[in-house]
Amino acid sequence: MSKISMKNGRKWGVGLLAAGLLLGGGVLPVHTSFAAPAVNNPSKADTVAVLKWNGALTQQTGIVRNGQVFVPVTFLRDVVKLPVTYSQKDSAYTIGKDSAETKLLVSSYGVSITVNNFFINDYEGLNVNNRLYVPLGLLTDYMGYKGDWNAPSGRLNLMVSPQNALKITTANYAKGSEDKGAVINLDYPQISGLANTDVQQKINAALKQSAMRFAAGAEADIADRDEQSPPYEYDAGYAVTYNQNGVLSVLLNQYGYSGGAHGMSYRQAFTFSLKDGKQLLLRDLFGANPNYKKDLNTKLSQRFKADESYFGGFIGLNTEQSYYLKDGKVVIFFQLYEYTPYAAGFPEFAFTFKELLPNGSSPFSALN
């Protein structure tokens, strides 16, 4: 169960980021006006993870804490050759680019992570002795990498995960300004390089339409705003969660604040077949199991009842679109307030393909 607080998981305070964290081989520019960040002190229980890149041993090491592997940003910069920059304007470190552009916000709360303006609830980074580390799960779930972790030997081999032959970039719709009392800043994905340009256009139109529909609603709200109202704010971001086997799965988050105790976020997911641009429903992927929906409802009911924040009401799925894919998994999600209180965040439940399909079946077999 993911948890959120304010916009995209947390409302960030300006000036909390320390811009002088050691990244090995030097220090990024220091701006003395920033307060010192929270530091995760080394734990006696921490162990070392030996790091390999495409099978080749490197001199860098990671950290294993509570069974979770953390990779230093220096490894991503110096070995994987990802660009790493610091922005004083955004008060954030940025790793990577395009649909895998990841920002690390280092504050008194810790090291939080966004991908394309999408807050990653599942993972947080570490700042140990002024060195930044990111969890392996971030790299494999959202940044296009594959990790082969061997716990007994303490070795991690990181590789690029095979991806569909396309490029994903971020489009932006921005309007308004803080001094005028309302800001709209929406990031959404667009694809290029697909062999079938008609399919490419169809997918891009669906993704843009979602952003523009949200923008239209925001502009209508702003038109009714009076001068005594607090500043209005509207943001959107996305994460690419699966880009393999001729399928693209994207999760979008749209946030609006127009007064009150807190803003509201809404999530929407798109899973496309790159063969024809069709938006895939659960039945398209798991139809090889005639009881897939009954099985899902049973499992979801059990998981909800085991959650202490659940306030009841779930009797079964009422949509086949509120899901996204990860490597080997499908994640079913629900909206804020749907079955749990706001503070509990978006309920999300992951199931492996093997849990829902007959032995030897693949969710992508019927698509090819």
Side-chain angles (χ1 to χ4, degrees):
M1 178 76 67
S2 58
K3 297 186 182 297
I4 67 168
S5 172
M6 296 295 288
K7 171 190 166 186
N8 290 339
R10 204 170 282 167
K11 191 72 174 178
W12 305 107
V14 176
L16 290 175
L17 182 69
L21 294 182
L22 287 169
L23 291 175
V27 181
L28 292 183
V30 177
H31 303 280
T32 55
S33 62
F34 293 115
V39 176
N40 301 105
N41 293 322
S43 168
K44 292 181 179 179
D46 289 350
T47 57
V48 172
V50 177
L51 300 180
K52 300 167 73 176
W53 172 240
N54 291 325
L57 192 65
T58 74
Q59 297 300 309
Q60 299 215 33
T61 59
I63 292 174
V64 183
R65 178 173 293 187
N66 299 324
Q68 190 174 15
V69 182
F70 291 84
V71 176
V73 171
T74 51
F75 177 81
L76 302 177
R77 183 192 65 182
D78 299 336
V79 178
V80 182
K81 302 301 182 183
L82 289 180
V84 177
T85 59
Y86 173 75
S87 168
Q88 184 176 8
K89 177 183 177 182
D90 297 332
S91 299
Y93 291 94
T94 299
I95 306 169
K97 59 182 180 179
D98 296 332
S99 65
E101 184 176 276
T102 301
K103 290 186 178 181
L104 307 181
L105 298 103
V106 186
S107 74
S108 59
Y109 298 106
V111 182
S112 295
I113 302 168
T114 65
V115 177
N116 306 308
N117 202 27
F118 186 103
F119 179 77
I120 304 300
N121 304 68
D122 304 339
Y123 300 115
E124 289 192 0
L126 295 179
N127 172 14
V128 179
N129 292 332
N130 281 336
R131 289 174 63 88
L132 288 176
Y133 294 78
V134 296
L136 173 60
L138 171 74
L139 303 176
T140 57
D141 286 353
Y142 301 105
M143 296 186 67
Y145 294 94
K146 182 178 181 181
D148 182 11
W149 166 239
N150 188 304
S153 68
R155 294 195 173 197
L156 169 67
N157 182 29
L158 193 68
M159 304 159 280
V160 174
S161 179
Q163 303 286 296
N164 295 312
L166 56 84
K167 183 177 182 179
I168 307 168
T169 54
T170 300
N172 177 263
Y173 177 85
K175 192 172 182 180
S177 62
E178 291 185 6
D179 60 342
K180 292 182 179 180
V183 176
I184 301 174
N185 183 36
L186 313 181
D187 286 345
Y188 60 94
Q190 295 283 269
I191 67 172
S192 60
L194 203 61
N196 189 322
T197 55
D198 290 337
V199 169
Q200 178 173 290
Q201 184 177 3
K202 183 178 180 180
I203 292 172
N204 283 339
L207 294 169
K208 183 177 181 179
Q209 183 182 48
S210 173
M212 294 304 99
R213 187 184 301 116
F214 181 60
E219 289 168 5
D221 289 345
I222 293 170
D224 291 335
R225 176 183 177 273
D226 58 49
E227 293 183 357
Q228 286 71 44
S229 297
Y232 285 12
E233 182 181 0
Y234 301 88
D235 290 280
Y238 72 94
V240 176
T241 62
Y242 194 82
N243 184 24
Q244 301 178 49
N245 296 302
V247 171
L248 176 67
S249 194
V250 182
L251 183 62
L252 294 85
N253 190 84
Q254 297 168 338
Y255 166 88
Y257 177 76
S258 55
H262 56 72
M264 274 296 295
S265 291
Y266 173 77
R267 285 194 173 173
Q268 187 177 15
F270 292 90
T271 299
F272 297 104
S273 166
L274 298 181
K275 181 180 180 180
D276 54 14
K278 177 183 178 182
Q279 185 178 350
L280 300 173
L281 303 177
L282 287 169
R283 70 173 70 97
D284 297 316
L285 298 168
F286 300 101
N289 172 10
N291 296 314
Y292 77 92
K293 199 163 189 177
K294 179 180 178 182
D295 291 346
L296 268 176
N297 285 335
T298 299
K299 294 176 184 295
L300 288 167
S301 181
Q302 292 171 347
R303 298 277 287 274
F304 265 127
K305 290 176 181 177
D307 179 10
E308 61 182 15
S309 66
Y310 173 57
F311 51 58
F314 178 76
I315 58 175
L317 289 170
N318 55 17
T319 176
E320 292 224 340
Q321 295 181 338
S322 293
Y323 78 93
Y324 60 94
L325 299 181
K326 287 187 175 183
D327 192 14
K329 298 178 181 178
V330 59
V331 182
I332 311 295
F333 66 91
F334 300 88
Q335 300 300 330
L336 301 179
Y337 288 123
E338 196 169 358
Y339 300 110
T340 54
Y342 177 88
F346 294 91
E348 292 190 338
F349 304 102
F351 305 98
T352 64
F353 297 158
K354 292 181 179 180
E355 288 181 80
L356 300 174
L357 289 171
N359 290 336
S361 296
S362 165
F364 313 114
S365 298
L367 305 180
N368 301 318

